[in-house]
Amino acid sequence: MGRFVAFGEIMLRLSPPGRELLLQTPKFDVWTAGAEANVATALACLGHNSAMVSAVPPTPLGDAPVRALRGFGVDTRGIQRREGRMGLYFVMTGAGLRATDVIYDRAGSAFAEAPPDAWDWDGLLAGADRLHLSGITPALGQKGTEAALSAAEAAQARGVPISFDGNYRSRLWEAWDSDPRTTLTRLISKADILFGNHRDISLLLGERFDGDGPDRRREAAEAAFEAFPQLQLIASTARHLDNVDHHRLSARIDARDGAAQTDEVSVAGIVDRIGAGDAFTAGVLHGLRTGQDIDAAARTGLALTCLKHSLPGDASVFGQKDIDAFLAGGFDVRR
């Protein structure tokens, strides 16, 4: 396998301790964050040659996440130091019937303000066998849109496959004069793997699809395959919330010639669900990169996303043994 390269903004996440409200007490837990960085971290922890391309300010706030990523084995040589601020976001973890809430504080960050020609894709994609992007980068503004499109075009021109996670963030898109449907369509037309569900496909195609049941999810996938000839796989999860602390999850991968659907898993006693989708993305990519078929890759993705719910912070840092133990079942102490 070659290098896995992820491109996107690295942020710092600040969360009140436990499940407190914002500034209920004057303390924060701080975590390295960012959807693409989460995927790069999870893959590095699973033994892959994983690299991150981003930009952070030349300050201690920029130093901290770079050190964290490097500590997990991510290649950070593609992370630039640029003037500007560090992107932040705040997460107030919910409980019971109180939902988790997110506040973004990332406008004008060093990454969001970087021009699209700031990136030397000849060097950054050397030896790469995949570029991973998400819908968050273009949602940051016009420069983010141009940067994401430039990265996708560079990968396509060099024959590097692209995986794309829809990661639709309405609060980011709505903060500027954006056209998410047109932008995301241009990006996904260059991808061979899409991480997204029927809602993402509805946005892209301007047609309502229902995700209630495998047959209807297949209908959405077939419409996406028809609209995007380059697309080969669509991976998604279905989440049913009993309350903030108890969810039921299943995973699915659609290919052009068939689909794999897992059973539903009950996930109770949730510690932190933020980043669970990124863990699923990493699990599926890990499975595919190690030669698994779509059925096994769907189960691997589900295992990693379920495990992530047990871990505070944004990134999954589990290894293959953790996935194997999850798939084997059992909750007793392992001695």
Side-chain angles (χ1 to χ4, degrees):
M1 293 180 291
R3 295 168 66 245
F4 173 88
V5 178
F7 176 58
E9 182 169 28
I10 302 169
M11 295 189 297
L12 290 177
R13 165 184 158 186
L14 288 78
S15 289
R19 297 187 172 191
E20 294 182 6
L21 300 178
L22 189 67
L23 296 177
Q24 184 176 337
T25 56
K27 297 179 182 179
F28 285 114
D29 293 326
V30 183
W31 307 95
T32 297
E36 302 84 358
N38 293 341
V39 177
T41 297
L43 285 173
C45 291
L46 287 164
H48 297 269
N49 183 352
S50 177
M52 186 69 205
V53 178
S54 190
V56 296
T59 66
L61 291 178
D63 296 339
V66 175
R67 283 198 305 267
L69 293 176
R70 190 181 298 128
F72 287 119
V74 177
D75 181 349
T76 61
R77 289 175 294 176
I79 300 176
Q80 298 182 19
R81 301 306 179 102
R82 302 185 68 89
E83 292 301 323
R85 62 182 297 261
M86 188 73 200
L88 307 175
Y89 84 115
F90 300 81
V91 176
M92 286 69 74
T93 302
L97 301 180
R98 173 169 60 86
T100 294
D101 195 18
V102 170
I103 298 174
Y104 292 115
D105 182 24
R106 57 197 298 180
S109 69
F111 179 82
E113 292 300 314
D117 61 359
W119 318 101
D120 173 21
W121 290 112
D122 280 332
L124 294 169
L125 291 176
D129 65 359
R130 179 163 296 282
L131 174 67
H132 182 70
L133 304 169
S134 92
I136 296 177
T137 298
L140 296 177
Q142 190 59 46
K143 289 181 180 178
T145 294
E146 293 172 3
L149 288 168
S150 177
E153 290 165 358
Q156 187 177 49
R158 292 159 179 77
V160 177
I162 298 167
S163 50
F164 189 88
D165 190 335
N167 268 336
Y168 186 76
R169 300 291 187 264
S170 59
R171 290 181 178 178
L172 296 178
W173 285 107
E174 292 167 3
W176 61 289
D177 184 20
S178 64
D179 183 358
R181 180 180 175 186
T182 298
T183 299
L184 295 174
T185 295
R186 291 180 64 187
L187 287 163
I188 292 169
S189 68
K190 304 179 188 304
D192 68 332
I193 302 176
L194 170 64
F195 293 91
N197 58 23
H198 63 284
R199 289 183 292 273
D200 296 288
I201 296 170
S202 294
L203 170 66
L204 291 167
L205 303 186
E207 180 180 351
R208 186 179 183 278
F209 294 99
D210 192 332
D212 187 14
D215 290 343
R216 291 178 177 176
R217 294 176 75 183
R218 181 62 188 176
E219 180 184 7
E222 288 178 346
F225 286 135
E226 183 177 355
F228 300 101
Q230 182 81 6
L231 203 56
Q232 300 301 313
L233 296 175
I234 301 172
S236 62
T237 57
R239 180 187 295 269
H240 297 94
L241 284 71
D242 294 325
N243 56 54
V244 169
D245 304 302
H246 182 199
H247 299 180
R248 289 172 285 121
L249 295 171
S250 62
R252 179 181 178 89
I253 298 179
D254 283 276
R256 288 185 172 269
D257 58 356
Q261 172 81 43
T262 72
D263 293 332
E264 193 173 64
V265 174
S266 178
V267 182
I270 293 172
V271 173
D272 193 341
R273 69 165 283 186
I274 301 295
D278 305 323
F280 172 70
T281 295
V284 170
L285 291 172
H286 169 63
L288 297 174
R289 291 171 70 81
T290 54
Q292 294 180 0
D293 61 19
I294 61 171
D295 182 69
R299 286 186 280 111
T300 298
L302 182 63
L304 204 60
T305 195
C306 288
L307 286 168
K308 170 59 193 71
H309 287 75
S310 72
L311 195 68
D314 278 38
S316 166
V317 294
F318 295 102
Q320 182 63 53
K321 290 182 178 179
D322 300 303
I323 293 175
D324 294 341
F326 177 89
L327 293 173
F331 302 108
D332 201 0
V333 177
R334 300 186 181 105
R335 302 180 188 275

